[in-house]
Amino acid sequence: MHFALPPRKSSYSFPYARSPRQGPSLQRRKQIKTVAVLGFVALSFFFLLSHLFSSSGSNEVSVPAGTPKVVIVTVLDRDYMTESYIRKIKKNREDYAARYGYANFFTDVSEYEPYLNNAPRSWAVVPAVRHALTTYPHSTYFFHLSPHALIMNPKLSLQSHVLDSKRLESMMLKDIPVVPPDSVIKTFSHLKGGDVDFVVAQDKEDLSPGSFILKQGDWGRFFLDVWFDPLYRSYNFMKAESHALDHIVQWHPTILAKLALVPQRVLSAYSKDSPGAAVDGTYQEGDFVIRFPGCEIDSTRNCEEEMDPYFARWQRLVDRKDN
């Protein structure tokens, strides 16, 4: 009788067979590690973006009583300004601030010279505004205004004239070149008034940072840090901090996403003696602010003499009983 022999177990091993008890291969472990690292980087990136683009004032903090909502920042230069000129500038700002419960932050270029690293003195505006944010940590808005400027219509509060979100949205210049006349980078067409942290005007050639409003918060501090980057200060832009601002607004979407451009006369009307005003950018009676850009560097102009007729007009206005 013949019995069938049981099949013999083959001694041949398949080259890619894996013991069921064996862990993941080295290649598989590397893939898992790579995916984990990429996932962590992606999550970190989206967290940073959500933090930057969230409302700058979203953190719930206790605001001390009497905190001014708006701080007016004026950077003087006593090495080149007479005391009479400074007194007029201060009087103009102090009258306006007193009307609405705002605060003034007067400072001097000399305080920031150690940080400029031989860059033009006009760069002092950036650390000066950062200094103001630190000095008034609970205030919401910071209105930088060149010392070569006057507030001509004190009846206009910043809230009603610019900061109210509906008012701002109605004035915002959307889908236009950021830097005139033909920058390929344009302001966002979908931006809402409530999304804005930085308000500025433009003249015929550039943005006009002699008058701007910045909102307190993480984004505002980030913006000032980018603007004051040592690389930009050492680059020798023809118009120093103005051209640096032109650059970062065009090439950094994170900054453009919080910027509102408004018509020049809303925030930064130029005197008739100041070149470079945009179309309809020259001061007219009733405008909020008049500026005299370039008066301090043009040997044919004198800032105080140019300002005096407007200061006298402003003084008559504030002296009127019905004002």
Side-chain angles (χ1 to χ4, degrees):
M1 181 179 292
H2 297 281
F3 295 95
L5 294 174
R8 199 190 302 176
K9 185 175 180 180
S10 172
S11 62
Y12 179 80
S13 301
F14 291 96
Y16 300 106
R18 189 172 61 200
S19 169
R21 295 183 181 180
Q22 185 179 352
S25 68
L26 178 61
Q27 181 181 4
R28 181 62 175 165
R29 288 198 298 272
K30 286 183 177 180
Q31 290 175 341
I32 293 172
K33 184 176 180 180
T34 301
V35 170
V37 170
L38 290 175
F40 176 77
V41 171
L43 286 173
S44 300
F45 177 74
F46 286 115
F47 174 79
L48 177 62
L49 282 185
S50 65
H51 189 60
L52 283 176
F53 284 89
S54 63
S55 174
S56 302
S58 60
N59 294 332
E60 296 277 338
V61 294
S62 176
V63 178
T67 297
K69 189 175 184 66
V70 174
V71 178
I72 305 169
V73 181
T74 308
V75 187
L76 304 168
D77 193 342
R78 296 181 185 277
D79 289 347
Y80 296 95
M81 296 177 183
T82 66
E83 284 302 316
S84 64
Y85 185 83
I86 291 173
R87 282 196 299 272
K88 291 169 185 173
I89 294 298
K90 285 189 171 184
K91 185 176 182 180
N92 176 257
R93 309 292 198 270
E94 287 166 350
D95 172 86
Y96 184 72
R99 290 169 183 262
Y100 301 106
Y102 301 162
N104 272 296
F105 182 81
F106 294 108
T107 187
D108 194 88
V109 170
S110 60
E111 291 197 39
Y112 312 103
E113 280 188 296
Y115 311 107
L116 299 184
N117 297 326
N118 298 316
R121 294 165 68 86
S122 57
W123 271 103
V125 59
V126 186
V129 174
R130 184 62 184 265
H131 187 183
L133 265 68
T134 304
T135 304
Y136 292 90
H138 300 291
S139 295
T140 308
Y141 295 103
F142 293 78
F143 173 34
H144 166 256
L145 186 58
S146 163
H148 308 299
L150 289 173
I151 297 170
M152 292 298 293
N153 190 342
K155 292 184 177 181
L156 298 174
S157 73
L158 276 177
Q159 280 98 329
S160 64
H161 183 53
V162 178
L163 296 176
D164 176 79
S165 59
K166 291 183 179 179
R167 162 74 172 165
L168 178 59
E169 195 166 326
S170 71
M171 297 186 298
M172 287 163 53
L173 303 176
K174 300 181 180 183
D175 199 31
I176 69 163
V178 174
V179 178
D182 53 6
S183 168
V184 296
I185 308 299
K186 297 184 178 182
T187 52
F188 291 152
S189 58
H190 63 273
L191 198 64
K192 304 296 183 183
D195 300 328
V196 172
D197 280 5
F198 180 52
V199 185
V200 69
Q202 56 182 196
D203 60 22
K204 185 170 65 177
E205 298 177 343
D206 302 287
L207 296 174
S208 185
S211 177
F212 67 78
I213 300 170
L214 181 67
K215 190 175 182 181
Q216 173 85 268
D218 292 339
W219 185 92
R221 291 186 289 272
F222 158 78
F223 162 69
L224 294 174
D225 287 349
V226 173
W227 193 3
F228 201 59
D229 190 290
L231 178 64
Y232 300 139
R233 280 181 280 135
S234 65
Y235 191 74
N236 292 324
F237 286 109
M238 183 179 296
K239 293 185 180 179
E241 79 290 346
S242 294
H243 278 172
L245 180 63
D246 288 350
H247 173 83
I248 64 174
V249 167
Q250 289 184 94
W251 303 114
H252 291 268
T254 305
I255 292 175
L256 186 59
K258 291 285 189 177
L259 174 144
L261 279 182
V262 295
Q264 187 176 354
R265 285 177 46 217
V266 169
L267 204 59
S268 192
Y270 286 3
S271 72
K272 59 181 177 57
D273 298 311
S274 300
V279 175
D280 196 33
T282 303
Y283 175 80
Q284 296 181 27
E285 194 72 28
D287 285 346
F288 177 48
V289 161
I290 184 170
R291 288 186 54 214
F292 313 95
C295 68
E296 75 280 17
I297 59 175
D298 187 341
S299 60
T300 66
R301 298 168 64 189
N302 180 291
C303 294
E304 189 166 8
E305 290 179 2
E306 199 170 311
M307 184 186 74
D308 273 346
Y310 296 98
F311 182 82
R313 192 182 307 174
W314 169 82
Q315 187 68 69
R316 289 193 298 271
L317 176 66
V318 300
D319 287 344
R320 281 168 44 183
K321 293 182 179 179
D322 61 341
N323 182 53

